[in-house]
Amino acid sequence: MAKYMLIMRGTDESNAAVMAGFEELAASTYQFIEELMKAGVFIAAEGLDDAAESVVIDFSGEAPVVTDGPYGETKELFGGYFMLDVASKQEAVEWAKRLPSVAGSKIEVRRVAGEDERPPGHEEQAAVGSD
């Protein structure tokens, strides 16, 4: 089994549509979570607060710079996630296609690297604390 994150991404328009039909979308999302749990693939799901309440720490200069809110030119925002433990990427995609959503929203499916994995080209490095 492998862990996959279903990353919910939305625009201002799709986020407004979510809020307009929140009760119905919440009910169908809870039903979706129940299906995930019955299938034994559910690990976690969380939604994020309003992006306007966030801060960004930019490390491109000599010292980190903290600014309010999301990136100025962001068209899509990360709104929350589902974490699944499934047999394959295709299974994660099939679950993502069933996730309740509104027009204009997107779901990114990304595998979560295992604790024993290293970035490509660094396989020879010993794990920290393995002595």
Side-chain angles (χ1 to χ4, degrees):
M1 299 291 272
K3 291 181 186 174
Y4 280 86
M5 182 177 275
L6 311 183
I7 303 168
M8 299 180 292
R9 297 182 353 201
T11 62
D12 287 341
E13 293 80 18
S14 66
N15 291 338
V18 166
M19 296 314 292
F22 183 78
E23 297 301 324
E24 182 179 336
L25 188 61
S28 59
T29 300
Y30 289 126
Q31 183 178 20
F32 177 70
I33 291 171
E34 286 180 12
E35 292 173 23
L36 293 170
M37 291 190 313
K38 285 179 186 173
V41 299
F42 180 78
I43 296 174
E46 299 286 342
L48 297 177
D49 199 1
D50 185 356
E53 300 297 320
S54 68
V55 296
V56 174
I57 295 93
D58 184 346
F59 291 92
S60 60
E62 288 184 33
V65 175
V66 178
T67 57
D68 290 335
Y71 294 105
E73 296 184 28
T74 299
K75 301 273 190 261
E76 296 177 355
L77 295 172
F78 177 34
Y81 70 92
F82 284 80
M83 184 74 73
L84 307 182
D85 190 7
V86 294
S88 66
K89 180 180 183 179
Q90 186 57 40
E91 184 180 354
V93 168
E94 291 304 317
W95 280 111
K97 288 168 36 178
R98 295 174 56 189
L99 202 153
S101 59
V102 298
S105 61
K106 296 179 181 179
I107 305 296
E108 178 180 344
V109 176
R110 188 180 298 184
R111 191 176 70 81
V112 177
E115 291 180 21
D116 60 342
E117 293 183 89
R118 293 183 185 58
H122 295 86
E123 293 83 4
E124 69 285 346
Q125 292 181 350
V128 175
S130 64
D131 292 327

